[in-house]
Structure formats: C-alpha cells, structure tokens
Amino acid sequence: MKKLSALLTASVFALTAWGLPAAAKTPATESQPRAMDSAHGVKLRKLLESLQEGGLRAHESYENVMLRHVNELKLSDEQIGKIVRIHQDNQQKIKEIGKKLRETQRSAYRLFLNPASDEAAIRIAAKNHSAAFDALVNTALSSRAAINAVLTPEQLNQLKSLGAEP
C-alpha cells in the first residue's frame, strides 16, 4: 500500500511539473496583478511591456532600416561603412536633442498644470518644445539625406520599392 501511495504521489508531482511550463506561458495581461488599474499601474504596465518587446528603446533609426536591407540592395562594404559612420555621428546629436525635447515637454506640462502660470509663459514653453522637436527632425532628415547620398540611384529606387517599414 505504501508503494502505491508513493507511486501516486510521484505521478501527481510528475504530471504537475510537466504542466508547469505551459502554465507559465500566460499572456502578460493575465500575469500582472489587478492593482495595476491605477495611473501608476498603467505606467508600470507600459514599462513592463516595453521591456518584454526588447528594451526601453525600441525605436529604429533610418540607418537601422537601411542596414536591414543590405543584401537586397547589394551594398558594398564601403557603403556600409559610410552609413555606419553617418549613424554614429548623428546618434550623439539625436541623444542630446532628445534629452532637450523631454526637458522642454516636462517644463511646458508643469507650466500648463500650474494655475498660477500665465498664458504667455505657457506659450513660450510650448515654442521651446516645438523648436527642440524641429531640431530633432532637421537632424534626422539631414542624416537621411546623407545616407541616401551614399546609395546609387538604382539602389535608392530599389529601397523605395521595398517599402521599408519602420
């Protein structure tokens, strides 16, 4: 009788352990506590989702899209090197502009929420934010133009026909 109960117990443990990997693969929304319905919980959920999707910075640059099509475009080693150098040169600029963009956004938002702020100060903060965004767009577009200049006309047409999605 002891052998039978030991065998049954072992079977239960084996079957339970066998089913655990499948049970562990629950969707992210089911595995998160219900307490995340608050505003703080929403932010935390978005952070967890971004980490699951490959990190906090999941954005691609034009250079990344371009380098994804190295084989289709038949880029030479020299062209790849030029694209990588353009990318590296612009990354620091874009990082600094991005930091400025976040600072101006926070400043404008704080002013907007403060009842003591006057409309002129809010508009100035909004213009500063717009200027930072324009600088970001200008830097990204100049980088894009420099990369497109590395390509032959045939490669550029082929890239456009690929419909590279960000």
Side-chain angles (χ1 to χ4, degrees):
M1 189 67 164
K2 288 182 180 179
K3 288 183 181 180
L4 182 60
S5 72
L7 181 61
L8 284 173
T9 304
S11 298
V12 168
F13 284 130
L15 289 173
T16 305
W18 185 55
L20 283 179
K25 293 180 183 177
T26 59
T29 56
E30 290 179 15
S31 66
Q32 295 172 354
R34 295 280 183 218
M36 286 193 179
D37 291 336
S38 67
H40 183 65
V42 170
K43 289 180 184 178
L44 183 59
R45 187 177 324 123
K46 286 181 181 180
L47 175 63
L48 290 172
E49 288 171 359
S50 70
L51 289 172
Q52 290 171 350
E53 292 172 0
L56 290 173
R57 185 181 171 107
H59 300 289
E60 280 189 311
S61 65
Y62 187 72
E63 295 84 359
N64 297 128
V65 172
M66 176 67 62
L67 292 175
R68 213 179 331 143
H69 298 290
V70 167
N71 294 331
E72 294 98 328
L73 297 173
K74 298 180 178 122
L75 296 175
S76 68
D77 289 342
E78 182 181 345
Q79 287 176 311
I80 294 170
K82 287 180 181 180
I83 291 170
V84 169
R85 280 190 293 284
I86 292 167
H87 175 67
Q88 289 173 342
D89 289 345
N90 284 302
Q91 278 307 104
Q92 186 60 35
K93 292 177 194 174
I94 288 175
K95 185 178 178 181
E96 291 170 7
I97 295 170
K99 184 178 176 182
K100 174 82 172 164
L101 188 66
R102 287 185 296 279
E103 289 171 2
T104 58
Q105 180 182 20
R106 277 189 224 113
S107 174
Y109 187 65
R110 277 193 302 263
L111 282 170
F112 179 76
L113 292 180
N114 185 352
S117 299
D118 63 338
E119 186 176 331
I122 295 170
R123 289 189 183 278
I124 289 170
K127 285 181 183 179
N128 290 340
H129 181 63
S130 293
F133 185 75
D134 286 342
L136 179 67
V137 170
N138 289 338
T139 302
L141 287 175
S142 68
S143 173
R144 180 180 166 137
I147 288 171
N148 286 344
V150 171
L151 302 177
T152 65
E154 295 81 22
Q155 288 172 327
L156 186 58
N157 287 334
Q158 186 179 5
L159 178 67
K160 290 177 182 178
S161 70
L162 288 173
E165 58 189 52

